[in-house]
Amino acid sequence: MARKNVPLQGLEGDALLDRVPRSGADAERLVRRLEAALLRTEATLASVLDATEDAVCVVDTEERVTAWNRKAEQLWEIKAADILGRNINEFFPNLMVTRVARENREVRGEYHQPLPGTHVLINAVPISAGGAVLGGVSAEKDITEIVHLNRALTKASLEVRQLQEAVQKGGQVAGAFRHLLGHHPRMRDVIALAGRAAPTDATVLIRGESGTGKEILARAVHDAGRRAGKPFIVINCGAIPHDLFESEIFGYEEGAFTGANRKGKPGLLELAEGGTVFLDEIGELPVALQVKLLRVLQDRKFYRVGGYQPVSVDVRVIAATNRQLKNMISSGLFREDLYYRLNVINLEIPPLRERQSDIPELTYHFLQEYGHLYGKEIEEVPPHVMASLISYPWPGNVRELKNTVERLVILTEGNVADTGAIPGYMQDPAGRGPADGGKPAGLHSATERAERETIFQALQEAGGNRTVAAGILNIPRSTLYYKMNRLGLLETKKDRPPD
């Protein structure tokens, strides 16, 4: 009697052979199904190998190459046709992919130098089935340029330190913008525009994510202008309670309200006389107070709480925000006339993830700063550590990098930065994050980056309101919170866009 067709899923080896009909139409159909399944598997594998940005190599038990993708051809300058079927040891000595197969162990994110002058970070695992090792597979990321950059920066940091010591000995004063580090073109453009605006009294609006250095830039504009040496008063519009805001900014007269100082009290605007007022987080200012601030900008006069005599003030105003004020205007959360009054000179600081070339310079600067503070001298950052720092998206921007370097200095023993001194989710230069559990990045990390950008864009459109953003994304608010938490986008303040 002929056998009936059986599902192929879950069957392999002898178990599958036991189900194969020995003759007849059933055997033919099964062969065709097996051929189709094999073609689909081969096509899927070929597409995966071609899509990844890592150099992938697969070897069998005889250490013959069975797979060699496009990125491997580019990295090693060896065509697949020239290496497939041949022993890998004819081309490279001491390869990780052969070692993991022989020793039946996994390697994750390990620095390796398979050839002189070439540096890679490698993930390699054995290929196993039924308890037997059938070969090995490796995925290698080229970090040769990072290694060379690291060496050049080590030399440059020494020269910079020597130059700084010479400047200090000579009593020379550094420029007002000395704390704004980096040579990325976008950062240089921001500093150049700020330098041109500094000598004037023009109102400046600074935009940028949290941690990018908006207050540092504002203080630099103040120090480079004619008001240098006069007060620089910071008013955090998001930190002062709304019911106290008016009295804190404008001050109050004697007996203005219960509990007021008998002699009255000058406000922060008066304390800034002749200098600069820095209105941080201007997007948090209530609409009712925006009207009064607009009047101050127009007339340079205001009234104390409980007062009837106008107070004249001579101050320069610099405002900053990490919110999209234009979107808030359309939502009725920010006055259009105040926006245009503030937006005379617009300075936008790029996030750290968009100027990755500045990360090594910032890292070495903070290493020197905290090394001096904690009495340590870290002379070298290994290539794989620097690769991790460069690849991480830095949602907290420069502030987060600074905190990470401080941790690195505290936990490192010796003069070489310790890999274990940085958080685990930063240690994979391929882009793994805390939600990956240490697995290879590939399409997973690309998906996370796309998800992060989509959520961030929705929050910008919603003016930072998470409920509105969830509506834009057509997902429940609880789901948005879960995704923001998984991607490291949550802030302590309510309804604020992520860094």
Side-chain angles (χ1 to χ4, degrees):
M1 180 182 295
R3 298 187 184 184
K4 295 182 179 179
N5 290 333
V6 294
L8 298 180
Q9 185 176 3
L11 297 178
E12 60 182 26
D14 295 337
L16 180 61
L17 290 175
D18 289 341
R19 301 292 188 93
V20 175
R22 301 305 176 186
S23 61
D26 287 342
E28 254 182 83
R29 281 194 295 270
L30 182 58
V31 168
R32 285 197 297 270
R33 291 174 62 197
L34 290 172
E35 289 176 343
L38 181 59
L39 288 173
R40 286 195 300 271
T41 301
E42 290 178 343
T44 300
L45 178 60
S47 297
V48 170
L49 292 177
D50 190 61
T52 182
E53 286 301 312
D54 291 347
V56 177
C57 171
V58 181
V59 299
D60 60 16
T61 53
E62 301 298 323
E63 299 184 350
R64 292 188 298 262
V65 180
T66 59
W68 186 261
N69 72 344
R70 172 185 53 82
K71 194 65 180 181
E73 289 183 332
Q74 296 173 356
L75 177 60
W76 305 118
E77 297 182 351
I78 300 174
K79 294 295 183 182
D82 297 331
I83 196 170
L84 287 175
R86 298 179 62 179
N87 192 297
I88 190 71
N89 297 296
E90 298 176 20
F91 300 85
F92 307 99
N94 191 31
L95 269 187
M96 195 71 68
V97 67
T98 58
R99 284 162 51 192
V100 298
R102 287 196 298 265
E103 300 169 11
N104 193 19
R105 65 182 181 90
E106 295 185 359
V107 168
R108 301 284 184 182
E110 186 165 327
Y111 169 73
H112 190 47
Q113 188 176 3
L115 289 176
T118 301
H119 307 265
V120 298
L121 284 173
I122 184 171
N123 292 325
V125 296
I127 301 172
S128 304
V133 176
L134 306 178
V137 57
S138 68
E140 297 168 300
K141 180 171 289 294
D142 185 14
I143 61 166
T144 303
E145 289 187 10
I146 295 176
V147 171
H148 293 163
L149 178 62
N150 188 41
R151 290 173 178 170
L153 282 169
T154 301
K155 180 180 178 181
S157 65
L158 177 60
E159 295 173 352
V160 168
R161 187 163 60 246
Q162 293 172 343
L163 180 59
Q164 288 175 337
E165 292 172 354
V167 169
Q168 291 172 358
K169 290 179 182 178
Q172 301 178 24
V173 180
F177 295 91
R178 65 190 180 277
H179 297 300
L180 290 156
L181 304 177
H183 290 83
H184 190 278
R186 286 184 62 188
M187 198 65 191
R188 293 294 94 193
D189 289 344
V190 170
I191 294 173
L193 180 56
R196 293 170 62 186
T200 74
D201 275 341
T203 305
V204 176
L205 177 62
I206 302 174
R207 295 176 54 238
E209 298 177 4
S210 294
T212 51
K214 296 187 291 295
E215 183 175 338
I216 295 174
L217 179 58
R219 189 176 292 274
V221 171
H222 168 77
D223 291 340
R226 66 178 183 86
R227 297 177 184 268
K230 300 293 181 64
F232 179 83
I233 301 297
V234 178
I235 300 176
N236 190 318
C237 301
I240 302 176
H242 294 173
D243 54 347
L244 298 179
F245 195 96
E246 192 170 355
S247 61
E248 288 293 319
I249 301 303
F250 303 123
Y252 54 85
E253 295 289 354
E254 177 183 354
F257 51 86
T258 303
N261 189 305
R262 282 179 152 187
K263 298 180 180 179
K265 177 185 175 182
L268 294 173
L269 280 175
E270 289 183 70
L271 296 178
E273 175 64 24
T276 299
V277 170
F278 176 53
L279 300 170
D280 197 14
E281 298 187 57
I282 188 67
E284 303 298 322
L285 191 63
V287 176
L289 294 174
Q290 292 175 23
V291 178
K292 298 186 177 183
L293 175 60
L294 178 62
R295 189 173 297 120
V296 173
L297 294 177
Q298 291 173 338
D299 303 333
R300 301 293 170 176
K301 293 180 181 180
F302 62 91
Y303 291 86
R304 283 184 172 187
V305 176
Y308 300 96
Q309 296 297 323
V311 178
S312 298
V313 65
D314 174 26
V315 295
R316 181 181 193 172
V317 175
I318 301 177
T321 183
N322 65 354
R323 305 184 70 173
Q324 294 295 323
L325 296 184
K326 283 191 173 181
N327 294 339
M328 295 179 65
I329 292 172
S330 61
S331 303
L333 299 175
F334 202 86
R335 291 182 62 93
E336 186 175 18
D337 47 3
L338 177 58
Y339 172 78
Y340 289 115
R341 177 65 68 172
L342 293 171
N343 195 35
V344 177
I345 301 293
N346 190 308
L347 303 176
E348 184 170 0
I349 305 178
L352 189 57
R353 64 180 174 275
E354 293 180 10
R355 55 184 186 108
Q356 290 177 309
S357 58
D358 286 342
I359 291 175
E361 179 181 349
L362 289 163
T363 300
Y364 278 101
H365 174 81
F366 295 141
L367 280 175
Q368 293 179 24
E369 179 180 327
Y370 286 114
H372 178 74
L373 177 64
Y374 295 114
K376 292 185 175 183
E377 186 171 359
I378 298 180
E379 300 174 348
E380 181 183 354
V381 179
H384 57 286
V385 174
M386 186 63 75
S388 299
L389 297 178
I390 291 174
S391 299
Y392 182 66
W394 297 109
N397 291 292
V398 179
R399 185 189 296 123
E400 184 184 9
L401 174 61
K402 186 174 182 179
N403 293 341
T404 300
V405 174
E406 181 180 13
R407 168 194 168 103
L408 187 149
V409 171
I410 292 172
L411 299 183
T412 292
E413 297 181 0
N415 59 0
V416 178
D418 186 358
T419 305
I422 61 176
Y425 58 85
M426 293 184 185
Q427 293 182 17
D428 181 7
R432 294 196 297 262
D436 292 47
K439 295 181 181 179
L443 294 177
H444 184 70
S445 64
T447 301
E448 281 198 349
R449 287 194 295 271
E451 200 170 36
R452 182 190 298 274
E453 289 300 322
T454 301
I455 292 174
F456 183 45
Q457 184 177 355
L459 285 164
Q460 286 183 314
E461 293 177 5
N465 188 302
R466 292 170 183 166
T467 301
V468 176
I472 293 173
L473 295 169
N474 197 27
I475 58 176
R477 194 170 192 261
S478 58
T479 301
L480 176 62
Y481 268 84
Y482 166 77
K483 289 181 176 293
M484 291 178 67
N485 182 52
R486 181 170 59 82
L487 296 170
L489 298 178
L490 282 179
E491 283 189 347
T492 56
K493 291 186 180 293
K494 183 181 178 182
D495 292 334
R496 293 283 302 280
D499 293 342

